[in-house]
Amino acid sequence: MILVTGASGHLGQSIIEKLLPQLPEGENLAVGTRNPEKLKHLKDQGIDIREADYNDKNSLITAFRGVSKVLLISGHAPNDERIKQHKNAISAAVLAGTKHLCYTSFTHPAPESRFLFAEVHYKTEELLKNSGLTYTIFRNAWYADLLVEGIEQMLEGGKFEAAAGNGRINSIPRSEIAAAIAKVLASPGYGNSTFELTGPDTFTYEEATQWISEAYQKEVKYLDVNTEQIRKLYGGDASFGFEMQGILSSYEAMQANEYDYVSDDFEKIMGRKPLSVREFIQEQAKQSKSAG
Ligand SMILES: NC(=O)c1ccc[n+]([C@@H]2O[C@H](COP(=O)([O-])OP(=O)(O)OC[C@H]3O[C@@H](n4cnc5c(N)ncnc54)[C@H](OP(=O)(O)O)[C@@H]3O)[C@@H](O)[C@H]2O)c1
């Protein structure tokens, strides 16, 4: 049995949708969530819905019973808490007799990274590699969806405000990450390996702004602002809590070109190149035009 945690989230839902049609004969699928009620619609598709809270190790041990391969989708909490959550999941997999754990890490998870949340990922990777479990690590680049989500506002205001400077960024649509992860989950092998799931090229936010202008045929200007302005833009520290420092530090990492690299790991898994951010923007523009 394969179990996907975080299955109610954006990435988890996309993985389940792509994994179901390619499940090997005789293989079963289970999903983990803190709130099984949220996923009860999956029951009709023969999916086993299990309660699993990263803060509650016993719930994870129970959820992982009879599961041979777990996909741990990284959680969402301040660093110390999130590392503890992931530690709980890895240790629960060992105790439940799971053989193989796959983890959604993040691009450039290095101790020297300026990005605050990099710590969660390099520490989790280390815990997993030392756990004795067979591991597969997916270092997911920036979701292109995060950029696209802001397009309406950019078109309205005629500007894209960010603090990435001239930093080049790697990014990939979530659905492409999900396609690669689903393929790996459905296939034998891929043990003790790390995949860098990036788009086919890197870009600056200024270039992305031009692609948005072209695709939507409306002028949008890139405005590089300072961190104080970013704070204001997001409504201040109070509304974003621990995430605010994550956002600000992500811009520092972008400015320092920490994400200026691409990998062909996606192509190795899928046998094709991933959709680029430019193509993704064009696709979104077409969809929004046809929606009226
Ligand atoms: N690469 C990037 O650009 C990028 C950007 C943002 C985030 N991320 C990371 O990627 C992950 C997945 O992205 P997404 O877009 O799918 O996020 P999402 O839509 O917010 O979903 C997060 C999932 O995590 C689960 N979760 C959170 N805390 C949990 C806990 N204590 N116990 C069990 N499950 C918990 C939630 O499950 P339930 O609520 O059902 O329990 C939810 O399904 C994020 O959580 C984050 O770590 C990556």
Side-chain angles (χ1 to χ4, degrees), residues 31 107 117 125 132 167 247 259:
V31 291
T107 187
F117 302 155
E125 287 193 8
I247 293 165
Y259 307 115

Side-chain angles (χ1 to χ4, degrees), residues 72-87 90 103-106 108-111 113 115-128 242:
L72 170 63
I73 291 190
S74 56
H76 184 68
N79 284 15
D80 287 352
E81 189 181 333
R82 192 143 59 122
I83 294 163
K84 195 168 167 226
Q85 291 178 343
H86 296 169
K87 195 173 177 183
I90 293 166
Y103 171 65
T104 62
S105 182
F106 185 68
H108 196 234
S113 173
F115 182 40
L116 181 71
F117 302 155
E119 183 194 22
V120 170
H121 298 293
Y122 71 75
K123 290 203 167 155
T124 304
E125 287 193 8
E126 205 173 281
L127 287 166
L128 179 54
F242 77 92

Side-chain angles (χ1 to χ4, degrees), residues 52-71:
D53 182 346
Y54 300 156
N55 288 316
D56 175 1
K57 190 158 134 186
N58 286 330
S59 78
L60 296 167
I61 298 172
T62 309
F64 295 167
R65 289 238 161 85
V67 173
S68 53
K69 206 189 272 181
V70 165
L71 172 69

